[in-house]
Amino acid sequence: MGCTQSQKEPAQTTNPIGDVDKQLQKTEALDPYLKYGGSYSGDIKDTASFKYVSYDSMPVFGSDHKSLMSKHLTKELFYNLNNKKTSKGYTLSNAIMTGVVTPHLGVGATAGDEESWELFRDLYYPIIKDWHGYDAYTQKHPVDLDPSKIIFTEDQKLLFNEFVVSTRIRAARNISGYSLPPGTTDQDRACVENVLKQAFNGLTGELAGIYYELGSLTEEQTKSLLEQGFLFQIPSPRNLLTGAGAARSWPHNRGIFHNDSCTALAWVNEEDHCRIISMEVGGDIPSVFARFCALSNALKESAAANGTTLMWNDTLGFLGTCPSNLGTGLRASVMVCLPQFNRLMEADHSQEDNELLETVCAKFDLQPRGSAGEHSAAVGAKFDISNKQRLGFSEVQLVQKMIDGVTKVIQIEKLLAEGTTVQSIRETLLME
């Protein structure tokens, strides 16, 4: 007996993601920013070179979207938040745009002002939980910028002097009352720069230095700053700045400050109002942290002199543009020479041997980076090792955790050099 077509061939099943991707490819040819939905509806923050996309309906997320925003933004949440707007005019569409139009980003959401963190918290808080492991609905964030509390023993000094090439501590600071870069106006951006310039002009002693306006740099100054690694990222279609609207009116009211000895650096109106960086050759962590605290306090005093404060609350700590840089927002890192760990990553060893440095660092909440980023060996065996956590711990706690963790990493490096086996080291770690 003959068979019908349906009996011969099972009905095809559809692939929703695949179908979506085909639709998106057609739209991309018209306007890449409208590829995932939305329209240009005349946002008051628009400029001649950048227009915000407004989403009246849920954006169309494809298989290329990797962000936590795309994971947590349900249709129900979208429609609950979509008609809300901060007093400075920041909307849900503004908050999610960079993650929609730049799908490879890991976080994919930004804040445009302080009020955003409360108004859109049902989007931000799940992202924060995934990124930091911190429950913003129930936890409180401590702050402690007292460098005298750091414990750095003589034995640790000897180890760090032998193995650590350089040290850097950085964090973002933002001025209350002004919009953050993704939601700012030309007027707010200029006011922020003015407050920060006042802070830099008031620095004395080892912190005294020069402020360079980005738009006024000479060719010679640009070359010098580039050679020193002091210039911040230039906006591109692949970074957060562009898709969030934070690169509007570039390079106006942006700048770079550094002290005379190039151990204190500040970036103005990049991703945040200010990124402060303390650094020096060698491993004198207390010295670097004390300078960092002095810079932070100088910005706090300048804000107070202008009748405002730094953005901060007891739930999220220091507030900024991206959920990944909340709390302390602090990254304390050392460039440390680890030839034995590097040998295990370069040579033909087992995967467990290759991953020993990551295993040791994870034990102490640290993150190692090789020359090609995470999971890679390092040229000259020089690894960048930093704290992983930002929220739920104070500045003093995170710097101390970094010191104690790197101390252990160096001790294990010395054991490997003496011939201790990887298996023995792993067994010892499990016992701690």
Side-chain angles (χ1 to χ4, degrees):
M1 187 172 70
C3 297
T4 65
Q5 184 70 17
S6 60
Q7 288 173 311
K8 282 184 176 180
E9 299 176 6
Q12 288 188 331
T13 57
T14 59
N15 180 348
I17 291 293
D19 292 343
V20 165
D21 286 345
K22 289 178 182 177
Q23 295 170 19
L24 296 179
Q25 288 169 8
K26 294 178 182 178
T27 311
E28 184 178 19
L30 302 176
D31 187 327
Y33 269 21
L34 301 180
K35 176 181 177 181
Y36 306 102
S39 62
Y40 299 121
S41 58
D43 193 300
I44 195 171
K45 301 182 292 296
D46 286 349
T47 64
S49 60
F50 182 88
K51 290 180 172 54
Y52 289 88
V53 176
S54 178
Y55 301 98
D56 292 328
S57 58
M58 180 80 169
V60 182
F61 294 122
S63 59
D64 51 346
H65 282 91
K66 310 299 182 186
S67 71
L68 292 174
M69 179 278 293
S70 63
K71 171 185 174 182
H72 290 291
L73 185 65
T74 63
K75 282 188 176 181
E76 180 182 5
L77 183 58
F78 175 86
Y79 288 110
N80 283 343
L81 299 178
N82 202 35
N83 291 323
K84 296 185 177 182
K85 180 187 294 188
T86 70
S87 57
K88 286 184 171 291
Y90 205 69
T91 66
L92 177 68
S93 290
N94 297 158
I96 65 175
M97 180 176 169
T98 194
V100 175
V101 304
T102 322
H104 72 275
L105 294 177
V107 174
T110 55
D113 47 42
E114 286 168 281
E115 192 182 343
S116 299
W117 289 109
E118 179 60 29
L119 194 64
F120 304 121
R121 69 175 189 169
D122 289 338
L123 172 64
Y124 296 137
Y125 282 13
I127 293 173
I128 290 167
K129 182 66 181 295
D130 272 9
W131 190 268
H132 297 280
Y134 176 90
D135 187 351
Y137 287 109
T138 61
Q139 291 182 254
K140 298 297 180 184
H141 176 79
V143 60
D144 190 346
L145 286 160
D146 183 353
S148 70
K149 294 179 181 178
I150 295 296
I151 298 171
F152 196 56
T153 68
E154 289 299 321
D155 287 343
Q156 286 175 318
K157 288 179 184 178
L158 291 173
L159 279 178
F160 277 59
N161 286 338
E162 181 180 355
F163 287 87
V164 174
V165 178
S166 61
T167 303
R168 176 178 294 215
I169 298 176
R170 62 89 167 147
R173 293 291 185 267
N174 292 282
I175 312 300
S176 182
Y178 301 104
S179 293
L180 291 162
T184 197
T185 61
D186 289 345
Q187 181 180 0
D188 265 13
R189 191 185 301 110
C191 287
V192 166
E193 184 188 33
N194 184 57
V195 171
L196 295 173
K197 286 166 74 172
Q198 288 180 42
F200 303 144
N201 289 336
L203 295 174
T204 59
E206 78 150 338
L207 291 179
I210 302 172
Y211 178 70
Y212 301 88
E213 294 182 1
L214 195 59
S216 302
L217 290 175
T218 66
E219 186 176 336
E220 184 179 348
Q221 288 171 331
T222 300
K223 181 181 177 183
S224 174
L225 292 169
L226 279 170
E227 288 174 349
Q228 297 176 85
F230 287 177
L231 281 181
F232 44 71
Q233 65 175 325
I234 297 171
S236 79
R238 285 189 59 79
N239 62 29
L240 175 148
L241 290 174
T242 304
R248 288 166 300 135
S249 304
W250 193 274
H252 301 303
N253 302 118
R254 276 94 173 179
I256 299 157
F257 166 86
H258 70 74
N259 66 344
D260 296 336
S261 59
C262 297
T263 57
L265 180 69
W267 295 342
V268 174
N269 282 325
E270 186 222 22
E271 182 178 317
D272 288 284
H273 289 164
C274 191
R275 178 72 55 85
I276 56 175
I277 305 167
S278 175
M279 55 195 173
E280 66 182 62
V281 175
D284 191 347
I285 313 295
S287 168
V288 177
F289 185 53
R291 189 182 306 111
F292 170 86
C293 294
L295 272 173
S296 181
N297 288 332
L299 297 188
K300 180 180 179 181
E301 290 168 5
S302 182
N306 284 271
T308 184
T309 61
L310 298 179
M311 290 188 188
W312 188 88
N313 69 40
D314 62 1
T315 297
L316 298 177
F318 286 102
L319 303 176
T321 288
C322 183
S324 65
N325 279 326
L326 297 171
T328 61
L330 181 143
R331 185 175 188 269
S333 64
V334 291
M335 188 68 70
V336 57
C337 193
L338 303 170
Q340 299 303 317
F341 277 109
N342 204 48
R343 178 180 59 81
L344 292 174
M345 299 179 78
E346 289 183 325
D348 185 21
H349 289 271
S350 68
Q351 185 173 349
E352 283 196 344
D353 287 2
N354 293 158
E355 296 174 351
L356 182 62
L357 179 58
E358 289 184 35
T359 301
V360 174
C361 285
K363 181 78 174 178
F364 301 99
D365 299 317
L366 299 175
Q367 188 171 39
R369 289 184 173 89
S371 299
E374 295 179 56
H375 321 299
S376 69
V379 174
K382 295 175 183 177
F383 290 88
D384 177 285
I385 297 182
S386 65
N387 58 296
K388 290 172 66 175
Q389 296 150 317
R390 303 283 190 272
L391 261 169
F393 297 88
S394 73
E395 291 79 2
V396 167
Q397 288 174 317
L398 290 180
V399 172
Q400 191 65 59
K401 281 164 71 77
M402 189 270 278
I403 290 172
D404 295 341
V406 171
T407 298
K408 192 66 178 180
V409 170
I410 294 173
Q411 289 171 344
I412 293 174
E413 168 71 19
K414 295 184 74 170
L415 289 174
L416 288 169
E418 293 167 1
T420 305
T421 65
V422 172
Q423 182 180 352
S424 177
I425 288 170
R426 285 185 173 276
E427 290 172 353
T428 302
L429 279 177
L430 290 173
M431 292 174 62
E432 292 183 353

